[in-house]
DNA sequence: TAGATTGTTAATCGATTAACAATC
DNA sequence: TAGATTGTTAATCGATTAACAATC
């Protein structure tokens, strides 16, 4: 998808979903085109940054005109891999796991929950968001059949590393880690952390120092 | 808390909770001291970065020895404002709000949930995690009496901005925003975003490009 | 064509890393 | 004292911003 074989920086990747979100809103508002200057005003960034970021992937704009909103929206979606459905599973059917399973927003953005796994006999067999909770040991077979790409880990802190290692062996390629610990994964597997406590702590710091 | 009146960069602040987490684990493991080199090995960062980061706030180490784990842990806790309890509220008593309310981890890290608010008459009056769900319009009085510092926003996307504006007026100083939209807040108020979908998109990108 | 705005190169800024003198 | 490791300054690296020629 990249323009050249130059490595795209992590900072740029981080900003893509935000562009995607703003463009989605713009599309919904009925506008058809936007300039980097106008978008920068709305997003509170510099126009230069927007043009630099987008040009990592291609020339989506047109001089003297700006960017076609729908086209740019679709292009970024494609870069992010959202042009086809991304199958996900949840490991850990506790409070947070269930809440995520029941959240309808992911599906509308291209992510489809196809399985929930747990080790507790109390949870196995129950139905959450139209998915039967399966025993964790079934993940390997499940992955062979269904090839989910991403797993959200919502197990207790102590179990996280073991679970991630096992799931990576089963073929999971990306982890969204909600536990209060870092997980290490093999080469070629990605992790994004949703360390809620960490962000609460940053907020605590900021509320003291603003 | 800062060493001088030099502004601490956001990048440094972001790393503090992670130091705090590793030091907590080290403390629990029974170790008493650690060098920046050994910590850097465990955290997968450079020793220089650790020493630079810590020296924004003070000289916590001792030449030839390293850092006293318990002392450094407590010092970072204090910098983050965790030496006294941080009172929080949740706005939005849906799936995610309830899950966060029931999560016990925050409390053990110094954050105390003291109120849950919603606008739905079905939810108002119900009990979640020992808190009665109160009508959102009561937040103002509640804040006058109880002075919570932080609000977690788990309302639907469309309501987020309005809710944040109102809560900021009530005196909330920091927001943890879980909605699929950015919220703007007045000067002197902090926001941290937990855009789960954004991180899923980054994972989707990375699983394609690794 | 003239005006607008991109794509891209060059300049600036800030963050990270390296190096080493200070010192426990 | 000798060895270890910090605190801090200096060098490097990468990311952001500014500028402008290309071009729609």
């Amino acid at each position: 998808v990249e323009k050249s074989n130059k490595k795209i920086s992590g900072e740029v990747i981080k900003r893509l979903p935000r562009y995607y979100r703003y463009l989605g809103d713009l599309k919904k508002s009925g506008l058809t085109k936007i300039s980097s200057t106008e978008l920068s005003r709305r997003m509170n960034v510099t126009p230069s940054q927007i043009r630099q970021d987008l040009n990592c992937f291609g020339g989506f704009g047109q001089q003297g005109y700006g960017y076609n909103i729908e086209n740019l929206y679709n292009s970024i979606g494609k870069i992010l891999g959202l042009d086809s459905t991304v199958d996900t599973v949840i490991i850990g059917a506790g409070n947070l796991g269930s809440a995520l399973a029941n959240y309808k927003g992911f599906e509308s953005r291209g992510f489809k929950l196809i399985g929930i796994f747990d080790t507790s006999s109390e949870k196995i067999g129950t139905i959450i968001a139209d998915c039967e909770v399966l025993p964790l040991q079934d993940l390997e077979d499940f992955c062979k059949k269904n090839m989910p790409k991403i797993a959200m880990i919502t197990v207790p802190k102590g179990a996280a590393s073991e679970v991630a290692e096992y799931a990576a062996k089963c073929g999971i390629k990306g982890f969204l880690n909600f536990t209060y610990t870092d997980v290490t994964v093999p080469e070629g597997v990605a992790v994004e952390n949703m360390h809620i406590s960490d962000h609460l702590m940053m907020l605590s710091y900021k509320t003291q120092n603003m």
Side-chain angles (χ1 to χ4, degrees), chain A:
Chain A
V1 177
E2 288 102 84
K3 203 178 181 185
S4 73
N5 45 6
K6 222 184 301 162
K7 177 107 182 60
I8 312 282
S9 99
E11 300 302 305
V12 175
I13 308 302
K14 263 191 222 168
R15 287 191 288 265
L16 289 181
R18 188 156 181 263
Y19 292 132
Y20 189 69
R21 189 148 41 80
Y22 275 81
L23 288 163
D25 288 346
L26 285 165
K27 191 171 78 117
K28 212 172 271 177
S29 79
L31 291 171
T32 58
K33 67 157 188 158
I34 193 155
S35 68
S36 56
T37 303
E38 171 59 13
L39 185 58
S40 78
R41 202 189 53 71
R42 292 176 186 241
M43 295 184 67
N44 213 29
V45 297
T46 61
S48 276
Q49 183 164 78
I50 293 176
R51 296 205 297 275
Q52 286 277 25
D53 284 353
L54 297 179
N55 278 100
C56 293
F57 302 98
F60 300 113
Q62 196 168 302
Q63 283 95 331
Y65 174 88
Y67 299 87
N68 177 284
I69 289 170
E70 177 142 25
N71 172 58
L72 185 55
Y73 176 79
N74 291 333
S75 298
I76 294 180
K78 202 165 180 179
I79 292 164
L80 290 169
L82 306 178
D83 48 339
S84 61
T85 304
V86 180
D87 289 333
T88 67
V89 298
I90 289 175
I91 305 181
N95 274 314
L96 185 56
S98 308
L100 294 173
N102 282 305
Y103 180 53
K104 295 297 162 209
F106 302 141
E107 198 136 342
S108 70
R109 281 152 223 147
F111 298 91
K112 192 174 177 197
L113 178 69
I114 61 169
I116 306 180
F117 297 84
D118 205 299
T119 53
S120 143
S121 56
E122 280 168 44
K123 301 216 177 97
I124 292 166
T126 61
I127 307 285
I128 301 175
D130 297 332
C131 276
E132 187 188 348
V133 178
L134 300 174
L136 182 56
Q137 74 230 28
D138 289 7
L139 182 62
E140 195 168 352
D141 279 348
F142 185 92
C143 285
K144 274 184 194 142
K145 283 194 199 99
N146 304 289
M147 312 262 281
K149 270 220 192 95
I150 290 173
M152 308 194 215
I153 306 190
T154 54
V155 299
K157 172 184 152 94
S161 294
E162 199 186 349
V163 162
E165 195 192 345
Y166 169 61
K169 210 175 286 174
C170 295
I172 296 290
K173 288 292 170 217
F175 290 97
L176 198 58
N177 172 34
F178 286 86
T179 68
Y180 188 61
T181 193
D182 291 343
V183 300
T184 48
V185 293
E187 186 78 5
V189 175
V191 182
E192 284 292 318
N193 292 305
M194 303 295 305
H195 288 316
I196 305 176
S197 295
D198 285 17
H199 287 257
L200 280 176
M201 291 178 192
M202 288 167 62
L203 272 182
S204 171
Y205 174 88
K206 288 183 178 175
T207 58
Q208 286 185 313
N209 300 86
M210 278 184 100

